[in-house]
Amino acid sequence: ANAMATYTQGLMDLGATLCTRSRPRCQDCPIHSDCMARKEGRTDELPSARTRKTLPERSVAIMLAHRSGHILLEQRPATGIWGGLWSFPEATAEEDVVARCQRQFGVRISAFECLPELDHGFTHFKLHIAPKLVRVASTQLGVAQPGTIWLSVSDALGAAIPVPVRKILSRLTE
C-alpha cells in the first residue's frame, strides 16, 4: 500500500511540475521515452482540462435590521455553513421580511429596501443572497432572543462574521 501511495504522489508531482497543460517540460521528464502524448504529438492537448460540474444553486434572503447605526446579528448554529459565526438573520426568498422581523425580534419598522444581490460560491453549491435592509424605528427591549446581538457596524466588522456578511456591511459604510 505504501508503494502505491509513493507512485501516486510521484505522478501528481510530475503533473504539477513538468507535465503541465501550458508549456510542458518534456525534456526534463524522467519518463518522456514512454509518454504516449509525446509519441503521438499531442503534448499541446494533454493533459486535458477537467470539466467543471455545474454547482447546485440556493437562494436566501437576509435581514439587515438597522437601528441608529447598529445592526442585528444572530449566531449561526455550531454545525453547517458558517458554524458558530455571527450573521444576519435569514429568511426564505419569498418570505415577508418585515413581518418576520416584527414578529421574531419585537421591532417596529420605519422603512424597507432591497439591496443589490450578492453571490457567494462554496465548494458544493452557489448561494444567491438577497439583502433586505429593514430600518427599525424602535425595539421592545427584552424581546431580543438569546443568540442575537445589536452591534455598531464597526464592531460588527470586527466580529467573527462570514465573508459575504463583511462585504454587505462594507457596502453599508460606503
Side-chain angles (χ1 to χ4, degrees):
N2 196 18
M4 180 55 81
T6 303
Y7 172 78
T8 304
Q9 185 62 52
L11 285 180
M12 290 193 304
D13 289 347
L14 281 176
T17 57
L18 303 177
C19 192
T20 57
R21 270 193 274 290
S22 61
R23 294 184 310 228
R25 295 178 19 217
C26 298
Q27 68 284 0
D28 298 330
C29 181
I31 58 169
H32 74 268
S33 57
D34 294 325
C35 177
M36 292 306 293
R38 189 165 178 203
K39 285 179 183 172
E40 295 173 9
R42 299 177 61 205
T43 55
D44 57 338
E45 60 185 85
L46 293 173
S48 58
R50 278 186 305 197
T51 55
R52 285 192 176 267
K53 64 176 191 220
T54 54
L55 293 175
E57 298 186 18
R58 294 185 201 163
S59 294
V60 68
I62 57 167
M63 300 178 280
L64 279 79
H66 189 272
R67 180 196 75 198
S68 58
H70 288 67
I71 49 108
L72 180 70
L73 293 179
E74 188 173 52
Q75 191 164 29
R76 298 204 39 104
T79 57
I81 64 166
W82 303 325
L85 298 180
W86 291 91
S87 186
F88 299 114
E90 282 184 17
T92 63
E94 307 78 39
E95 203 167 344
D96 181 342
V97 168
V98 170
R100 164 98 181 268
C101 268
Q102 288 172 319
R103 186 179 66 249
Q104 186 174 354
F105 303 112
V107 297
R108 204 164 54 75
I109 307 301
S110 63
F112 169 79
E113 69 179 288
C114 295
L115 299 179
E117 290 204 2
L118 178 74
D119 289 338
H120 186 72
F122 292 93
T123 52
H124 50 297
F125 70 96
K126 185 175 187 176
L127 185 63
H128 301 290
I129 302 169
K132 313 288 186 184
L133 181 61
V134 181
R135 296 204 186 275
V136 175
S138 64
T139 60
Q140 298 167 11
L141 296 173
V143 179
Q145 298 176 316
T148 64
I149 191 169
W150 286 95
L151 288 177
S152 68
V153 174
S154 59
D155 284 349
L157 282 166
I161 57 174
V163 169
V165 171
R166 188 170 305 283
K167 285 181 182 170
I168 292 164
L169 280 174
S170 297
R171 285 181 189 170
L172 273 184
T173 59
E174 284 169 4

